[in-house]
Each structure stands twice: as C-alpha cells, then as structure tokens.
C-alpha cells in the first residue's frame, strides 16, 4: 500500500509533482476515514393476549370462631386461681375464687332480715284475723280493722322484699366462684391470686370448642378483583400435608389504623385435629381469569419514573419508548394492564442501547 505523502517535503516540486501529491493525500484520507454506522441489533417479540389468573397466598393463624372474656360479677380479692393459659376446661369447671367474707356477711344479714319479716308478718296476720272476727260481731271499729289490714299488707310486702334481698345475697356469694360457662381453651390470663378485681374486669379469655376460623390480615386492594372460586385452600405451615378448605365468613368493615390491613375470617370446613388454636396457616386462592398482555421482564424499561417498553415500527424499523401500566409480576414475565395492544412489537433484548427514532435490525428468530 502506498504510504501517505507529507506536503512539506514537496515544497519545491514542480506542478506535475504537486498533482501527484494531491492524489496521494486524497487516497490517504479515504483509507483513514471511519466506516459507516450499522443498525443496532436487538431481539423483539410480538405482543399477544394471554390468560392471567394469579394466585393469592396469605399467611394467618387458626382461631376459634367464638372467643369470650370471663370476669367476676362482684368485686373482691382473688383467693384462688385454678387454671393456666392453654388448659382445656369444661363448662362447669371452676377457674378462680374470690374471698367470700363480705358476701357471706351480707347473706347472713339477709337471712336475719327474712326471719324478722316473717315474725312481723305472723303478728300482723294474727291481729288482722282477730279484727275481722271482732268486726263481724261488732266489738271493734272499722278504723281499727283497716289499720290491722294495712299492717298485714305492709308486713307481707316487707317479707317479699327481704326474700328478694336474700336471693341477691346468695347470687353474690355464688358469684365469688368463677366458672368457665362453656367448654374451651384458656387463651389469656390477666389476674393473679391476691389481686383485687372490680366488677366485669377481665380475668380469663377462653376460645370455645367448636368451629374454627383461619384469620388473615390483608390489604384492601385485594378486594378490587373478583375471586375465581369462593373456596380457599388451607395448608398448615408446620406440616404442608395437613390440608383443609374454607370459605370467607367475615370481612372487617374497617381498616386497622396501625397496620393498614383488613381482617378476614375464613371458616374452616371440618378442621383436622392438627390445626390447633394459634397454628400458622397458609390460605391460597385465585382471581378471576382475564386476558392481558405479558412481556418478558427484560423488555421493561423506565421513562420519567414510570414503567415503559421500547416498541418497533415494522415499516420504518424505528423504535419509540412507550409508557405502560403494570398489573403484576409473574415468573419471568411482566403483566401489562394498559399501554400495549396485541400485535405490537416490543424490544426484549438490547434496549439499553436505544434512543427514540433509532433504526434497528433484528436478530435471527425475531417475531416479525
């Protein structure tokens, strides 16, 4: 190859020589010029609709459908506590007792009041009967008869009141003994022996035997989509072989301000014995089937902080960045809710080298 000439070496050459030098310089410039740019090679895919029914998996816990707080109906000092958290109790089982001295004293006074009222009534009854006999014979006045009758009625009312007070005193004495009332499991204890408790102050919480719920805390956005099947598949976390089915029984009408979630209770149908209270459980369901666009995750890009993809015009072979709305993310796929139509062509590889209106070429196996 002819080497390039330098103009300063031919300063005194004749005109013919200068023409030769000019041709040499032109040849050198042609040899050293850059080759023309070639289109960027990318991989593409034609957009098509696909069935989309994403599963929903949530973790919750097994709880009783009915939970109750137990408390004494009278105030007093706890003298005895007989059960612990986790104990299974029967309906008539005694859980705790109060010191009964005050209630016993009240009962004794009520019994004495009944005896006094009975004695007063006996005397008033005798006087009233005697006045009736004397009145029929004319040996007493109407006024004295009426006074005896009034005393009799007053004594009878006093006895009824004393008996009612006696019944209340007996109830208060029996209320010093706290019974379960229902069969179940003790789930909480908030008082100890020696502690003074007030009326209706919670001492125990009990989960009643019977139906069980799987309780989940979910975000309210989940309710914007319709489930494909009302049945929920339930699996025990500690033993995935333990399974059951359930249906939504209750949805809280309010959002928990501390967690921003909604409590959902799923009734468990025929719960296995292994699904004990407090056990962690996984619930799985599916949303209604829909047809949406799916693109590979490698096609996802960004424009001004929003999700976007590069699309290719099949006629001009130029690219443009198009904003999309993402419905969700699946394994290796991005589910697009809005922004793409079936038949459009998106770049799935090589997007990092693109700019708007750039001409591209397609690799072998492209979807065009």
């Amino acid at each position: 190859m002819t080497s390039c000439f330098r103009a300063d070496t031919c300063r005194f050459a004749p005109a013919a020589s200068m023409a030769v030098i000019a041709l040499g310089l032109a040849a050198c410039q042609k040899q050293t010029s850059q080759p023309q740019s070639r289109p960027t090679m990318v991989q593409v895919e034609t957009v098509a609709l696909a069935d989309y029914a994403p599963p929903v998996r949530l973790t919750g816990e097994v709880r009783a459908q009915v939970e109750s707080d137990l408390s004494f109906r009278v105030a007093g000092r706890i003298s005895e506590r007989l059960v612990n958290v986790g104990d299974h109790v029967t309906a008539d089982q005694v859980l705790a007792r109060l010191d009964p001295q005050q209630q016993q004293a009240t009962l004794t006074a009520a019994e004495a009041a009944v005896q006094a009222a009975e004695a007063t009534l006996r005397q008033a009854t005798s006087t009233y009967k005697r006045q009736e006999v004397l009145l029929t014979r004319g040996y007493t006045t109407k006024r004295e008869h009426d006074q005896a009758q009034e005393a009799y009625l007053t004594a009878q009312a006093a006895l009824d009141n004393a008996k009612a007070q006696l019944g209340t005193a007996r109830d208060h004495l029996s209320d010093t003994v706290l019974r379960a009332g229902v069969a179940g499991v003790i789930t909480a204890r908030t008082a100890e022996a020696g502690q003074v408790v007030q009326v209706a102050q919670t001492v125990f919480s009990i989960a009643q035997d019977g139906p069980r719920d799987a309780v989940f805390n979910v975000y309210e956005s989940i309710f914007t989509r319709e489930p494909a099947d009302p049945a929920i598949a339930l699996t025990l976390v500690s033993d995935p072989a333990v399974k059951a089915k359930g249906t939504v029984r209750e949805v809280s009408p309010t959002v928990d301000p501390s967690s921003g979630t909604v409590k959902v209770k799923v009734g468990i149908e025929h719960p296995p014995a292994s699904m004990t209270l407090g056990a962690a459980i996984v619930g799985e369901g599916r949303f209604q089937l829909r047809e949406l666009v799916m693109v590979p995750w490698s096609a996802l890009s960004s424009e001004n902080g929003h999700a976007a993809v590069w699309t290719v015009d099949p006629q001009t072979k130029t690219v443009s960045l198009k904003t999309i709305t993402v419905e969700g993310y699946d394994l290796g796929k991005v589910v697009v809710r809005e922004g793409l139509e079936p038949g459009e062509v998106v770049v799935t590889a090589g997007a990092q080298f693109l700019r708007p209106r750039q001409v591209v070429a397609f690799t072998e196996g492209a979807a065009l």
Side-chain angles (χ1 to χ4, degrees):
M1 183 180 294
T2 307
S3 61
C4 296
F5 296 95
R6 291 182 57 185
D8 56 356
T9 60
C10 303
R11 189 184 314 170
F12 305 105
S17 299
M18 293 298 293
V20 175
I21 293 173
L23 292 174
L25 289 174
C28 289
Q29 292 177 357
K30 185 176 181 179
Q31 294 175 8
T32 56
S33 62
Q34 295 291 334
Q36 295 182 354
S37 59
R38 303 177 63 182
T40 302
M41 303 297 293
V42 295
Q43 178 71 39
V44 298
E45 182 177 296
T46 301
V47 171
L49 292 176
D51 292 337
Y52 181 61
V56 179
R57 292 174 59 88
L58 299 170
T59 303
E61 66 172 332
V62 177
R63 298 176 64 176
Q65 285 192 3
V66 181
E67 297 182 6
S68 307
D69 292 332
L70 304 179
S71 59
F72 288 101
R73 297 182 179 179
V74 294
R77 183 179 63 84
I78 298 177
S79 60
E80 192 176 12
R81 177 180 61 78
L82 303 174
V83 294
N84 293 308
V85 174
D87 290 349
H88 186 274
V89 296
T90 58
D92 59 347
Q93 184 171 343
V94 177
L95 308 182
R97 291 189 176 90
L98 294 178
D99 186 347
Q101 289 185 1
Q102 181 178 354
Q103 287 74 21
Q104 184 63 55
T106 303
L107 177 62
T108 302
E111 290 173 343
V114 169
Q115 293 176 358
E118 288 175 343
T120 302
L121 179 60
R122 284 194 297 270
Q123 182 179 3
T125 301
S126 176
T127 302
Y128 174 59
K129 288 182 177 180
R130 185 167 58 252
Q131 286 295 322
E132 280 190 328
V133 173
L134 292 176
L135 182 63
T136 57
R137 295 179 180 180
Y139 295 119
T140 186
T141 64
K142 180 66 175 175
R143 180 186 178 201
E144 291 180 348
H145 173 271
D146 291 345
Q147 288 177 344
Q149 184 181 24
E150 182 178 357
Y152 165 72
L153 294 176
T154 300
Q156 191 173 36
L159 178 60
D160 292 341
N161 180 68
K163 288 182 177 180
Q165 296 295 330
L166 176 61
T168 301
R170 286 172 176 169
D171 289 342
H172 286 174
L173 181 60
S174 65
D175 287 340
T176 60
V177 178
L178 180 61
R179 298 182 184 275
V182 293
V185 178
I186 302 298
T187 58
R189 182 184 72 249
T190 58
E192 294 291 345
Q195 181 177 342
V196 176
V197 294
Q198 302 301 318
V199 177
Q201 179 180 337
T202 300
V203 179
F204 295 101
S205 295
I206 184 172
Q208 297 186 20
D209 289 345
R212 294 287 184 259
D213 280 341
V215 181
F216 303 94
N217 294 319
V218 303
Y219 289 100
E220 58 180 343
S221 59
I222 199 174
F223 300 106
T224 60
R225 289 171 287 182
E226 184 180 355
D229 189 345
I232 307 297
L234 303 172
T235 306
L236 197 63
V237 173
S238 60
D239 187 1
V242 179
K243 300 180 181 295
K245 288 186 177 181
T247 54
V248 176
R249 188 180 65 85
E250 180 182 312
V251 178
S252 174
T254 59
V255 178
D256 188 340
S258 60
S259 62
T261 58
V262 176
K263 182 176 291 186
V264 177
K265 296 181 179 180
V266 176
I268 305 176
E269 300 176 4
H270 310 294
S274 302
M275 289 187 177
T276 57
L277 293 175
I281 195 170
V282 174
E284 182 174 350
R286 285 187 176 274
F287 288 120
Q288 195 72 33
L289 183 68
R290 293 182 295 168
E291 286 190 334
L292 294 175
V293 170
M294 293 187 185
V295 298
W297 64 266
S298 58
L300 191 62
S301 186
S302 176
E303 182 181 25
N304 298 326
H306 299 283
V309 294
W310 288 95
T311 61
V312 180
D313 185 342
Q315 303 299 326
T316 63
K317 304 296 189 292
T318 58
V319 296
S320 60
L321 192 59
K322 194 172 187 180
T323 303
I324 61 172
T325 302
V326 177
E327 171 71 16
Y329 299 91
D330 208 343
L331 184 61
K333 296 284 186 178
V334 178
V335 184
V336 180
R337 184 194 310 164
E338 297 176 352
L340 286 177
E341 297 295 334
E344 291 190 84
V345 180
V346 298
V347 177
T348 59
Q352 65 272 26
F353 303 112
L354 300 180
R355 64 181 182 276
R357 295 184 299 276
Q358 182 179 350
V359 177
V360 296
F362 308 104
T363 59
E364 294 183 3
L368 283 181

